[in-house]
Amino acid sequence: MLSMLQTTSFLFIFMFLMGISKFMSNWNHILSTLISLEFMALSLFFMFAMGGTYNELYISLFYLAIAVCEGALGLSMLVLFTRDKGDDMLSTKNLPVW
C-alpha cells in the first residue's frame, strides 16, 4: 500500500515526464512548446511545495518567481517571432543563426 506522500510524488513525477514527452514530440508550434515547459515548471513547483518545511517553501516561492519570469520571456519571444514571421510554425520557417 502506497502512502499519500508516495502517491502524490508519483503523480508529480508522472506530470513532469508527460511534460517532457510533449515538449520533445511537438516542435511545430512555439506556443505548444511554451505550454509544455510551463507544465513542467508547475509540476516541479508542486513537488517543492509538498516538502512542507519552511526552507523548502521559501525555495518553492523563489522557483515560482523564476518560472513566471521565464514564461513572460517566452511569451515575449513568441510575440516578436509572430510579428516578424507571421505565424508561430517552426517547421515551415528557416531560422536564422545569430
Side-chain angles (χ1 to χ4, degrees):
M1 187 75 176
L2 294 174
S3 69
M4 185 66 168
L5 183 62
Q6 289 174 337
T7 305
T8 56
S9 297
F10 176 73
L11 176 69
F12 297 139
I13 290 171
F14 181 72
M15 285 173 57
F16 186 78
L17 291 176
M18 287 293 104
I20 287 177
S21 67
K22 180 67 176 170
F23 179 74
M24 295 182 85
S25 68
N26 193 2
W27 283 93
N28 292 335
H29 294 278
I30 297 175
L31 187 60
S32 62
T33 57
L34 287 175
I35 288 173
S36 62
L37 283 173
E38 289 300 318
F39 187 72
M40 290 188 295
L42 185 66
S43 66
L44 284 177
F45 170 71
F46 285 148
M47 269 199 254
F48 286 146
M50 288 298 294
T53 63
Y54 178 72
N55 290 333
E56 290 174 357
L57 288 177
Y58 179 73
I59 291 171
S60 68
L61 288 177
F62 180 73
Y63 176 76
L64 187 62
I66 297 296
V68 167
C69 293
E70 175 258 335
L73 181 65
L75 285 177
S76 66
M77 290 174 61
L78 173 69
V79 168
L80 287 174
F81 189 79
T82 304
R83 284 184 181 173
D84 186 40
K85 303 293 182 186
D87 61 358
D88 70 334
M89 292 287 291
L90 287 177
S91 61
T92 60
K93 306 294 182 200
N94 291 329
L95 294 176
V97 178
W98 290 303

